[in-house]
Amino acid sequence: MPNNDFYVEELICNESFQEYCLGVSLENQILWREWIASHPDRRADIAEAERIVTILNVRQGSRTAQLKALRSGLKQKDNFQSLISLKEEKEQASGVKRITPLWHLYLGSTAAILIAVAFLYFYKPSLFYVESKVESISVQFSSGKSPRKTIILKDGSVITLAKESSIQLTENFDSSKRELWLTGEAFFDVKHDAAHPFVIHTVFNDIKVLGTSFNVKAYKNSGFMETALIQGSVRVESKKYPGYFVVLKPNQKLITPNSSEKAAVAKPALEYRVSKLQQDPTDPVPQEIQWVRKRLDIDNLPLSVIAQRLQEWYGIEIIISGEDVKNYRYSGVFENETILKTLEALQLSYPFQFKIEENKINIKK
């Protein structure tokens, strides 16, 4: 297993880690989940490595063929690791602080191209992003009795509502004025925009973000509100104590009492306490977001079947035009926060176009 100061590239080149990402063996699943749970401070780097391996394996053929192809593309792994060791020795000799080399990969021509595409996907997502729009004139969306309902807003943010939850938007909601009201529970994947904060109002507190993913549970009849941060940063502003706020870091959550109740203590810090997300050592997904996270395990399945599974889980209609597109076949393991990220990863293998119209996803060649 890698050392604590591992590089992201080292994980990508680790055959056992590749098998874990592909779901090849139960033994590797248990081994790596325990190892991931023991490195909470590197969770973001581990997730990045998982996603890159997934993208490198989104191709036609069975999972066995995928793994064989990936191993062939990374056959010069020993050379790469030798370069890492040589660089470490030089850094230690010169006293230079170690910095992860994002582009110093020596993996063979085919794998190097795929790695470059993968890094562009994560660090320049605008190159792959398909503009999302909500054309409905309604300013309120509700999940009702459905376990999940996905809403894609005009600014590209994705919201997944839990059962009996709803959001209300201002009529002029757009990329420059991003504000809504939440009742119930929802998972947010907010499109980054430093100039225009995304504001969520609840009966408990207000939440301000620039771009991040997090979960909010704020049912009106509940005695508390829970904000769980997965990535980025959020600022939770108290309605009960005007002027008081808490800034959360990744893998933290804040539980606050109902703001409608009278203040019971003189200091808000006694009520507004931050704790870590609940984590099962054998499962890297925090319990707070397991209701919305879907592990999609596919092996040589057509896009029509994959789309049906995504539609049933995320609660958004998917329409595919063209029999040839419906028959595109894929293999891979996907564990994403939103449906858009899964579709964007699939696009890298068989190119297709998709756009949001009236809160439906339309796919065509």
Side-chain angles (χ1 to χ4, degrees), residues 69-355:
L70 182 57
R71 286 174 176 170
S72 176
L74 303 178
K75 63 183 179 181
Q76 298 192 46
K77 178 185 66 174
D78 292 337
N79 293 350
F80 170 63
Q81 292 178 332
S82 297
L83 289 177
I84 290 179
S85 299
L86 180 61
K87 184 173 180 61
E88 288 177 343
E89 293 174 2
K90 291 182 178 179
E91 289 174 350
Q92 292 174 359
S94 61
V96 177
K97 185 178 180 180
R98 179 176 182 177
I99 301 176
T100 302
L102 296 179
W103 298 100
H104 295 176
L105 301 178
Y106 187 57
L107 307 176
S109 58
T110 302
I113 293 173
L114 290 172
I115 288 287
V117 171
F119 274 105
L120 282 173
Y121 174 72
F122 292 111
Y123 293 99
K124 296 292 184 181
S126 59
L127 297 177
F128 300 90
Y129 178 70
V130 178
E131 184 178 1
S132 305
K133 296 182 179 179
V134 175
E135 301 294 344
S136 174
I137 61 174
S138 174
V139 296
Q140 179 171 348
F141 298 93
S142 176
S143 60
K145 298 297 183 180
S146 300
R148 283 164 297 275
K149 181 177 178 62
T150 298
I151 311 297
I152 304 175
L153 304 180
K154 291 181 179 180
D155 69 334
S157 298
V158 182
I159 302 173
T160 303
L161 296 174
K163 186 177 181 180
E164 296 181 346
S165 301
S166 65
I167 56 171
Q168 288 184 324
L169 311 178
T170 56
E171 292 185 0
N172 57 345
F173 183 98
D174 56 26
S175 57
S176 62
K177 185 174 177 60
R178 309 195 297 171
E179 185 176 17
L180 59 80
W181 285 257
L182 167 68
T183 299
E185 183 174 8
F187 183 85
F188 293 83
D189 195 326
V190 175
K191 187 72 173 178
H192 180 77
D193 187 345
H196 303 97
F198 194 103
V199 181
I200 303 167
H201 300 285
T202 73
V203 295
F204 300 83
N205 307 297
D206 294 334
I207 303 173
K208 291 185 178 181
V209 301
L210 298 179
T212 183
S213 59
F214 57 99
N215 195 79
V216 179
K217 184 185 293 186
Y219 289 96
K220 285 184 178 180
N221 297 328
S222 174
F224 65 92
M225 168 184 169
E226 181 178 294
T227 305
L229 180 62
I230 309 304
Q231 300 176 25
S233 177
V234 300
R235 170 171 165 153
V236 182
E237 299 182 349
S238 174
K239 288 185 175 180
K240 186 174 182 179
Y241 302 97
Y244 182 81
F245 64 88
V246 175
V247 177
L248 293 179
K249 297 179 180 180
N251 298 315
Q252 289 184 337
K253 70 176 178 180
L254 174 68
I255 298 179
T256 58
N258 192 328
S259 63
S260 62
E261 300 176 358
K262 295 181 179 180
V265 295
K267 296 182 179 180
L270 297 179
E271 292 187 13
Y272 285 63
R273 294 187 177 183
V274 177
S275 62
K276 292 184 178 180
L277 300 185
Q278 298 181 35
Q279 194 79 46
D280 186 333
T282 62
D283 191 344
V285 181
Q287 294 182 17
E288 287 81 359
I289 63 169
Q290 287 189 353
W291 70 272
V292 73
R293 289 293 293 268
K294 173 65 173 178
R295 181 181 175 89
L296 183 63
D297 194 343
I298 58 177
D299 191 359
N300 202 25
L301 292 179
L303 184 58
S304 58
V305 174
I306 299 171
Q308 183 63 33
R309 292 186 181 181
L310 293 174
Q311 178 175 279
E312 292 174 354
W313 180 265
Y314 289 101
I316 185 170
E317 186 176 358
I318 302 176
I319 303 174
I320 304 177
S321 300
E323 292 300 319
D324 51 344
V325 180
K326 292 180 180 179
N327 291 323
Y328 287 167
R329 305 187 78 86
Y330 300 90
S331 293
V333 179
F334 300 88
E335 218 168 5
N336 295 298
E337 293 89 349
T338 70
I339 190 172
L340 295 187
K341 290 181 180 178
T342 301
L343 292 175
E344 287 167 353
L346 292 172
Q347 276 185 311
L348 297 180
S349 178
Y350 282 113
F352 57 79
Q353 301 296 323
F354 73 89
K355 63 180 180 178

Side-chain angles (χ1 to χ4, degrees), residues 22 57 59-72 299 331:
L22 292 174
N57 283 276
R59 59 176 63 189
Q60 186 178 24
S62 67
R63 189 162 302 153
T64 301
Q66 280 187 357
L67 189 58
K68 181 178 179 181
L70 182 57
R71 286 174 176 170
S72 176
D299 191 359
S331 293

